[in-house]
Amino acid sequence: MDATSEASFAEFVRAQWRDLVRAAIFLGAGPHEAEDIAQQTLVRCYASWQRVTDATNRDAYVYRMLLNQLRDVRRTRWWRSRVDVEADGRVDDASSQVVLADAVHQALDGLTKEQRDVVVLRYFVQLTEAQTATALNIPAGTVKSRLSRALAALAGSHHLSELSEEHR
């Protein structure tokens, strides 16, 4: 990679790091695991930087890489055993931010994988419908229908309704 490409990549990493980690967390990874997934995604970006910069929609291309990296990690036996340990080891925290984050995560856990992917990319990462469709390799109409069903499920989630009742 030449110096110009190196500088371009370094700027991209500075601008995208936080959003990539946040997206991985909302897609179900723990904080440390999300950093690992974001880092592995950026390594893949570095290895194919020319394809990333040539992509029609760079954000969608990179978030597709993030989703693929997350799926690769979850396919391993290590991930399956680790999820069981984390589920058993949760500790409640009294802070309102932790309670809110937990309620959101639990509500998102109630969605199908496909619905969760659409909600995270559309609302947390703030991709457009077209970018979300490109990232997930599905038609834009499918993004809209999955999003509609996901929002209906979230509206009916007892995790979020219990939270809103506590703040009344």
Side-chain angles (χ1 to χ4, degrees), residues 35-113:
E35 289 180 357
D36 289 344
I37 290 168
Q39 183 174 5
Q40 291 165 347
T41 300
L42 291 170
V43 167
R44 288 182 177 182
C45 286
Y46 183 83
S48 58
W49 186 240
Q50 188 61 45
R51 280 185 287 183
V52 172
T53 57
D54 289 346
T56 306
N57 189 333
R58 185 171 72 177
D59 287 342
Y61 189 86
V62 171
Y63 282 103
R64 178 70 177 182
M65 292 173 81
L66 180 82
L67 284 166
N68 288 339
Q69 181 63 40
L70 182 64
R71 289 178 185 142
D72 288 349
V73 168
R74 291 198 171 166
R75 286 186 186 118
T76 65
R77 180 177 301 196
W78 172 82
W79 168 255
R80 286 187 207 110
S81 66
R82 187 158 187 254
V83 169
D84 294 339
V85 171
E86 287 180 358
D88 293 339
R90 288 192 180 163
V91 177
D92 290 334
D93 186 349
S95 84
S96 62
Q97 290 182 340
V98 171
V99 171
L100 176 62
D102 185 52
V104 170
H105 282 285
Q106 288 184 21
L108 288 172
D109 284 343
L111 301 176
T112 66
K113 187 190 113 10

